[in-house]
Amino acid sequence: MNRFDYVKPSTVAEAIAAASAPGATYLAAGTNLLDLMKGNVVRPARLVDITQLTELTRIETSGNGDVRIGALVRNADLAHESGFARDFPAVAEALLSGASAQLRNAATAGGNLLQRTRCAYFYDAASACNKRTPGAGCDARGGDSHQHAVLGWSEACIATNPSDFCVPLAAFDAVVEIEGVSGRREVALEALHLLPGTTPERETVLAPGEMIVAIRLPAAARAFARHARYLKVRERNSYAFAVVSAAAGLVIENGTIKQARVALGGVAARPWRARDAEALLAGRPAEPDVLQQAAEAALREAKPSGDNAHKIPLARSLIVRALQAAAQGTPSRMPALPASPFSSIPGVLHDA
Amino acid sequence: MNWTVSLTVNGEPRTLALDDPRVTLLDLLRERLHLTGTKKGCDRGQCGACTVLVDGRRINSCLTLAVSLDGAEITTIEGLATGDQLHPVQEAFIAQDALQCGFCTPGQIMSAVGLINEGQAGSDPERVREGMSGNLCRCSAYVGIVEAVLDAQATLSDTTERAA
């Protein structure tokens, strides 16, 4: 780990000023940043510790019913906040399917949005990586690419975004509140992360010094609370990143889907909202052939970036299963193994 | 430049001067306070051997900068027993033979104490397994660990009920 300057400002304005310097980066819990620094993957000149900014630790409901999650709310606290888990069950399920209990106790909401890819070549300082060193090349292309992107990738980068939390947030139209030297602005969560194109080192729309201060879920997202799931295929039952994940939310009236929300994780450099699938579901019954058509639509543009063609049919199957699970209804209690595609489907063993 | 960190470690107030902000809570405990019960396994947040309680919550001490924790209350494996009286989780680990080599055990025990405090798993072995998934055991003593956590959970909830 490189040496760095460490500052601990007491206001958001001071933090933004301190983080606008070249080479500066924000430190919240540090669960991803310190790991990256230990591997010399990132070498910030200055850490701006924002953990004392208590104004960012609140979960609030505004007059219009929107829920505002402060950037420093811990993942576990958000997932276990009973009102939040009741109204946004797929978000709570996604949070609880990520990392381990220790990490969820530390990791923050804002930090989750800004976590870096888990591409092994990005993590290995000896490998070529256009994200880490622009122009260096990409050792993942033609390398061990079985976990890499099938949507939105480029010749320069085939890495995926590892966040679980972001997937239902994208599905339910979350908004990110950002503060910088020139004031406050908002972007849709879906537009926060950039696709790699020819500049994979640019991962988000944030300008230097800009800070995520809150994430807002619109009141309208509550309409999906009775039929909302997040399912995640992992290489082991727990404490693993997604191979593919899917968030699904439905509003069902008299057997007909009135509204649908579908997003995928683990398939691209950002959470992948599947609007074509949503449009196809609206006005139709939640029947197998309809769900299958929606899954086909969601992956229509998909193509393998290497040894990962299997992720395309896997993602289709997971969308169908997530929609089936959502149609059956949100479980009254969080499943013992959150987001398991196996644990809460009647008749299927959890470790099958 | 120097940074001063004030912590309460196992009930004892400690003020430390750090000449380098890179010191993790894990290294501070082991190298500066000589509390070597907390283990360094992977040092990257993947194995759970370094689990301690910070303000009552279990976290990975290897992924936390000590300088960031000014004012926090830390509990390590050394702070769990009361004199010669072991904590119920420690007793349960012995009773259930929940270890072999013992390297992961302090982290397992601190994680179990955190899990029971969180109150999400209750007496459901599947929820205990999921809640303990951040602690790896290379000797694979998992069956005993789950039994120990369930035992300790039962003991602690009995104690709470009697006190109520």
Side-chain angles (χ1 to χ4, degrees):
Chain A
M1 193 187 295
N2 61 295
R3 289 197 79 110
F4 52 82
D5 176 29
Y6 173 86
V7 293
K8 200 173 196 175
S10 50
T11 67
V12 170
E14 280 172 33
I16 290 166
S20 298
T25 193
Y26 290 112
L27 171 71
T31 51
N32 188 204
L33 181 62
L34 289 185
D35 189 23
L36 291 163
M37 288 171 69
K38 286 182 180 194
N40 282 313
V41 181
V42 297
R43 299 171 61 85
R46 172 189 282 179
L47 292 192
V48 180
D49 184 339
I50 57 171
T51 53
Q52 297 304 300
L53 305 180
T54 49
E55 66 190 274
L56 306 182
T57 62
R58 292 190 287 267
I59 306 168
E60 300 160 310
T61 305
S62 50
N64 66 0
D66 289 0
V67 170
R68 187 172 181 275
I69 305 153
L72 290 179
V73 173
R74 309 285 178 176
N75 285 194
D77 292 341
L78 183 59
H80 291 308
E81 210 280 316
S82 57
F84 182 84
R86 183 194 62 228
D87 291 349
F88 308 102
V91 181
E93 186 165 22
L95 284 165
L96 292 176
S97 75
S100 67
Q102 288 96 318
L103 291 165
R104 294 191 295 270
N105 277 344
T108 63
N112 189 306
L113 268 52
L114 296 180
Q115 65 182 300
R116 311 293 299 275
T117 182
R118 294 283 161 171
C119 172
Y121 300 98
F122 171 71
Y123 262 75
D124 173 24
S127 294
C129 173
N130 287 320
K131 196 182 270 302
R132 192 164 19 77
T133 313
C138 170
D139 278 350
R141 294 284 277 148
D144 181 355
S145 53
H146 76 287
Q147 293 274 40
H148 287 74
V150 293
L151 284 161
W153 55 273
S154 71
E155 290 299 322
C157 182
I158 60 172
T160 59
N161 184 302
S163 172
D164 293 302
F165 184 39
C166 285
V167 180
L169 289 182
F172 297 118
D173 298 305
V175 172
V176 183
E177 296 182 15
I178 298 164
E179 201 156 314
V181 278
S182 47
R184 212 168 249 244
R185 67 182 178 119
E186 295 183 351
V187 299
L189 182 123
E190 210 186 334
L192 176 70
H193 302 94
L194 298 170
L195 291 178
T198 55
T199 54
E201 72 280 10
R202 288 198 62 224
E203 294 177 350
T204 70
V205 297
L206 296 180
E210 278 194 318
M211 182 197 294
I212 292 176
V213 292
I215 300 146
R216 229 173 45 235
L217 270 162
R222 285 194 180 82
F224 299 92
R226 288 172 57 211
H227 294 282
R229 289 302 301 270
Y230 177 73
L231 295 185
K232 173 179 177 184
V233 174
R234 290 159 267 199
E235 288 191 339
R236 59 184 182 193
N237 259 353
S238 179
Y239 197 11
F241 291 97
V243 177
V244 175
S245 68
L250 298 170
V251 177
I252 301 176
E253 283 173 23
N254 303 322
T256 301
I257 298 170
K258 292 288 171 190
Q259 285 189 75
R261 295 285 183 273
V262 181
L264 288 167
V267 294
R270 67 177 184 216
W272 197 267
R273 178 86 178 257
R275 288 179 191 276
D276 288 353
E278 294 173 4
L280 213 143
L281 291 163
R284 303 180 67 188
E287 284 170 4
D289 60 322
V290 174
L291 307 185
Q292 189 60 44
Q293 286 170 33
E296 298 288 338
L299 275 300
R300 193 157 293 138
E301 307 291 321
K303 65 174 192 228
S305 62
D307 183 21
N308 43 48
H310 63 281
K311 289 178 76 162
I312 298 170
L314 185 63
R316 282 193 202 105
S317 300
L318 193 65
I319 288 176
V320 171
R321 190 163 280 203
L323 286 165
Q324 279 173 336
Q328 277 175 16
T330 306
S332 57
R333 188 180 178 201
M334 183 63 66
L337 189 57
S340 168
F342 312 112
S343 71
S344 354
I345 311 291
V348 179
L349 293 172
H350 81 88
D351 55 354
Chain B
M1 191 171 167
N2 275 294
W3 291 267
T4 306
V5 188
S6 295
L7 300 170
T8 304
V9 181
N10 298 329
E12 201 179 317
R14 308 292 294 251
T15 298
L16 295 124
L18 297 180
D19 57 1
D20 192 324
R22 290 178 293 185
V23 180
T24 60
L25 175 60
L26 173 61
D27 286 341
L28 181 114
L29 291 169
R30 290 183 55 85
E31 310 295 336
R32 316 256 169 145
L33 298 177
H34 308 295
L35 293 170
T36 53
T38 305
K39 300 303 183 211
K40 183 182 281 195
C42 69
D43 204 28
R44 302 293 285 268
Q46 297 180 11
C47 76
C50 69
T51 304
V52 300
L53 304 184
V54 173
D55 296 326
R57 298 155 63 100
R58 53 180 166 155
I59 58 128
N60 297 121
S61 63
C62 72
L63 288 184
T64 309
L65 288 183
V67 71
S68 185
L69 290 178
D70 194 37
E73 206 166 292
I74 316 295
T75 308
T76 70
I77 190 73
E78 289 91 343
L80 223 47
T82 310
D84 289 338
Q85 179 62 50
L86 293 180
H87 185 279
V89 175
Q90 292 173 305
E91 286 189 328
F93 267 67
I94 295 169
Q96 292 295 338
D97 199 15
L99 59 141
Q100 187 174 307
C101 84
F103 187 85
C104 73
T105 310
Q108 299 280 359
I109 289 176
M110 297 314 293
S111 190
V113 172
L115 173 88
I116 293 168
N117 287 346
E118 288 157 18
Q120 299 292 336
S123 57
D124 179 347
E126 201 171 336
R127 286 177 197 272
V128 168
R129 278 193 286 275
E130 166 63 10
M132 293 293 290
S133 73
N135 292 81
L136 306 187
C137 172
R138 289 196 66 180
C139 309
S140 207
Y142 295 112
V143 172
I145 291 168
V146 172
E147 288 302 319
V149 177
L150 291 168
D151 265 17
Q153 155 80 30
T155 307
L156 287 163
S157 61
D158 280 357
T159 315
T160 316
E161 276 164 26
R162 271 203 302 276

